[in-house]
Amino acid sequence: MKRGSKRTFLLVAVTLVALIVPIVAASAQRGAAPAGNPNPPTSPVTGNAANGKALYFANTCYGCHGYNGETGRAFVGNWSANLATEENFIRFLRGRANVAPVQPSTSMPNFPENSVSDKQAKDIYAYIRTFKSNAPELKDIPTLNQIIKGASRPYKP
Amino acid sequence: MAKKEGSVNRRGFLKGAAAGAAALVASAPAAIAQQDAAEARPAAVVPTSAQLAADVAAPPANTRIVENPGSDFMVDVIKALGIEYVAVMAGSSFEGLHESLINYGDNSKPEMLTTCHEESAVAMAHGYAKIEGKPMMALLHGTVGLQHASMAIYNAYADRVPIFMVIGNHADSAVRGAGVNWYHSAQDMCAMVRDFTKWDDNPASLQAFATNSMRAYKIAMTPPMGPVAVVCDSGLQEEPNRHKNLRIPKLAMSRPPSGDISAVREAAKMLVAADNPRINCGRAARTANGMSLVTELADVLKAPVNNGGERMHIPNRHPLAGNGTGQPDLILNLEVQGAPPPPNVKSISITALDLFMKSNIQDFQPYAPVDLSIAADAEATLPLLIEECKKLINADRRRFLEDRASKIAEANQRARNQAKEDARFGWDSSPVSLSRLAAELWPLIKNEDWSLVGWQGFIGGWPDKLWNFDKHYQYIGGQGAGGIGYNAPASVGAALANKKYGRFSVNIQTDGDLNFAPGVLWTAAHHKIPMLIVMHNNRAYHAEVMFVQRMANQRNRGIERAHIGTTLREPNIDYAKMAQTYGLYGEGPITDPKDLAAAYKRGIERVKKGEPALIDVVTQPR
Ligand SMILES: Cc1ncc(C[n+]2csc(CCOP(=O)(O)OP(=O)(O)O)c2C)c(N)n1
């Protein structure tokens, strides 16, 4: 199973420097993500979400996007155009290797067809689309509100 | 018949008599084996199995009583250094000193801490020193113990942290017993760690041990601080001290070097004239006073402070804490290693590392072509720099600075609020999000005199985003040299230092790091070191999962196998049971975030009773 393609990307840029980064910059992952659509896409889904779940795990998608797409480099609640349709998603997975191999347009790894087939990609897409935001509204999280209130009291040395 | 050597004192005599009596009741087979070993010693070429077993078998029956052994004097020296604790992983190359520490020295100042790995012993000393501001001692077995300790020594070296290490050796090959003692001896013991030990010595006499221990301590504590080692020969430890006039010299500490006045004036001029300066901190605040000084400089200059990830330099909700606005035109680096300024940005560096550096190991980071480099300790230089800046700020300039300050405060506040609001994403996720893990802790500890004794690099810096850090001891940074295996033992050492101040120590512990040497949990339980350990259990060396993914993708081979060699699953490790095994309160695994607060509370209750407690939380990878 030999596969070859030359490309570089910055998947783990945050991690690479994690050992030396200042606290303040240590985990701006969500903040660093480009602003997307807060609402999930509504385009048709044809894949099998159950298969997709296994693939999401096997391809370690969770490694960057968390087990629900809400942590790390999150996409739930911040849906990019790359996730708007099945076609966009597949094009996105193939994009960097086949279209612009040396200049990755994102830091995400490339998934060529010999790694994830169209059918598998559709399954993964179907699974991703089942993700619901687990994030309650800020007003509904007393702990966070207390934290924000406590931190906004004027600082006294 | 016991044969006495050296001068006799009553206490020593009684001890000797007890040892003799104990020897009489040694079991017969053991006694024979010991006899074999003793007889074979002088002429043996190939060590017998009995000799090789010398470290595991009972020691040979004592046929003499040594009064006033050299190692008693060594204890006097160590006591003169004011060392509170000695972390030890037992080894026969220092059995003389070991015995003196617990009996002659009464196991008090220093008190012995039993560890399960030399890396733990040194890393505990590393964490301790970052809280206490002074070294504790690590006592290490010759060659093998020192090799085990080496990574932890390197971390402390790169983190500029003082540690006083004493290493056993059997220096005199003419009297060295054949077998294992040869394996544990070296001609130049510290050669193997010299690249990352600030200074080491091989004293050939008790007087040299005394003098050079003082010297070693002084060198360790002079910025840039670092670990030092004194080798102690078993002969020196065990032979009677026949010297009449041994002296323990006074400990003569150096004042840390402050910057040259003309250079400091130039720096002040540049800083006051800059439109948008920023202060970047590395390991500048060695003490609480250092933190006050950095904060004061920021207040004088109205410049934002990037706290860095290594020490506390400014309270994290101080209006000037953060990166401020826009591109800086001047960066002041305080004990930052190798940070080349971005193009078209001027920079000033103040670091004691310009005064001391070794060449082999590349911990010094890239060369930084700065505009003004001041070879001095930043903390010691700050009072002068603050004064010089104040002199240059006139009423006009002050108005400009005030205006700048409010813009910076606004930008920093916005960034801080955003970070807090972002904590809601993944709030109800299972496995638990790192933001929730940290958020649920805060209300439970904020009224305690808390101290975060673990590193935040792999937990997304969430405590810094959600908690109010005001004090120097509330955060002590990370490994130093990125050597994983630091966090668990260093946090125990830091918690130990916090104990006498009654502080509440908390450590958020990654699973990979703990598994290097988990025995330190037992050390924490045994010595009743109160601390709450919350596992960030992502069941992986997650940083490495992502590295392997990157490689596999670069080569277009798919990433289905990135978990091989990088994950800690099948079977999952049960950290609650691990904690219980080592004698700690342990609970978990917690996968539902709704269970967090109650579990934390139960753990905190135990910690308040003076014990360590561990709560295992299964987490999102990052
Ligand atoms: C002594 C040592 N061995 C290996 C590494 C490489 N390394 C860097 S991060 C890491 C994973 C650490 O795992 P863990 O502590 O669980 O943190 P996680 O990445 O899962 O958040 C490893 C093995 C290292 N830095 N130091």
Side-chain angles (χ1 to χ4, degrees), chain B residues 71-86 97 100-101 108-111 137 139 164 166 209-210 213-214 217 232 248:
Chain B
S71 54
D72 284 0
F73 175 72
M74 291 174 174
V75 170
D76 292 339
V77 173
I78 292 161
K79 281 181 179 283
L81 290 170
I83 287 177
E84 280 189 304
Y85 297 103
V86 47
L97 181 54
S100 288
L101 281 163
S108 167
K109 295 197 170 163
E111 177 189 342
M137 179 170 148
L139 183 53
F164 184 74
V166 174
F209 180 87
S213 291
M214 296 295 140
Y217 191 101
C232 81
I248 299 178

Side-chain angles (χ1 to χ4, degrees), chain B residues 6-7 66-78 96-97 100 104 164 166 201-215 230-249:
Chain B
S7 65
V66 177
E67 297 292 344
N68 196 17
S71 54
D72 284 0
F73 175 72
M74 291 174 174
V75 170
D76 292 339
V77 173
I78 292 161
L97 181 54
S100 288
Y104 174 78
F164 184 74
V166 174
D201 187 55
N202 228 328
S205 66
L206 288 173
Q207 184 58 62
F209 180 87
T211 309
N212 287 338
S213 291
M214 296 295 140
R215 190 195 301 272
V230 178
V231 178
C232 81
D233 169 43
S234 59
L236 279 186
Q237 298 171 54
E238 291 169 31
E239 288 304 310
N241 170 9
R242 295 197 175 86
H243 306 274
K244 288 274 176 301
N245 302 316
L246 290 182
R247 286 175 308 111
I248 299 178

Side-chain angles (χ1 to χ4, degrees), chain A residues 1-13 15-31 55 57-74 76-78 97-98 108-116 120 133-144 146-157, chain B residues 295 305-312 315 317-319 321-323 365 413 417 420-431 433-435 438-440 442-443 446 455-462 464-468 470 475 479 481-484 538 540 542-547 549-551 553-563 567 569 619-622:
Chain A
M1 185 164 72
K2 286 264 182 304
R3 298 157 182 180
S5 153
K6 266 201 198 156
R7 48 175 304 277
T8 56
F9 55 86
L10 304 168
L11 165 70
V12 283
T15 316
L16 272 169
V17 293
L19 291 170
I20 49 167
V21 280
I23 303 179
V24 284
S27 71
Q29 286 162 328
R30 175 173 277 274
L55 289 163
F57 193 74
N59 285 289
T60 42
C61 309
Y62 72 89
C64 292
H65 303 292
Y67 294 96
N68 339 53
E70 271 207 299
T71 51
R73 182 70 165 195
V76 172
N78 188 24
N98 305 334
M108 193 170 120
N110 167 64
F111 293 87
E113 260 178 278
N114 59 346
S115 170
V116 173
Q120 288 175 321
S133 176
N134 276 315
E137 291 298 316
L138 189 60
K139 64 175 173 48
D140 298 328
I141 311 178
T143 311
L144 269 187
Q146 270 174 25
I147 287 175
I148 291 169
K149 202 167 140 218
S152 61
R153 269 202 306 272
Y155 159 77
K156 271 197 237 85
Chain B
T295 308
V305 176
N306 181 328
N307 182 68
E310 299 303 337
R311 304 286 188 273
M312 281 305 300
R317 74 204 151 101
H318 186 289
N323 280 332
Q365 298 295 325
Q413 183 65 32
N417 282 349
K420 289 183 174 64
E421 286 171 24
D422 283 353
R424 75 189 179 89
F425 296 105
W427 187 257
D428 290 328
S429 293
S430 171
S433 75
L434 291 167
S435 55
E440 294 283 355
W442 178 241
K446 68 178 184 186
W455 187 53
Q456 305 187 64
F458 285 168
I459 54 172
W462 278 108
D464 184 56
K465 291 176 189 168
L466 299 174
W467 307 357
N468 298 337
D470 294 332
Y475 189 56
Q479 311 87 5
I484 303 294
N538 61 12
H542 188 68
E544 304 301 317
V545 175
M546 296 193 283
F547 287 135
Q549 280 182 340
R550 183 180 59 157
M551 268 302 132
N553 275 277
Q554 218 171 73
R555 294 161 187 189
N556 203 359
R557 292 173 178 163
I559 60 175
E560 302 91 330
R561 296 179 179 191
H563 65 280
T567 47
R569 305 192 293 246
T619 44
Q620 298 281 336
R622 275 288 190 274

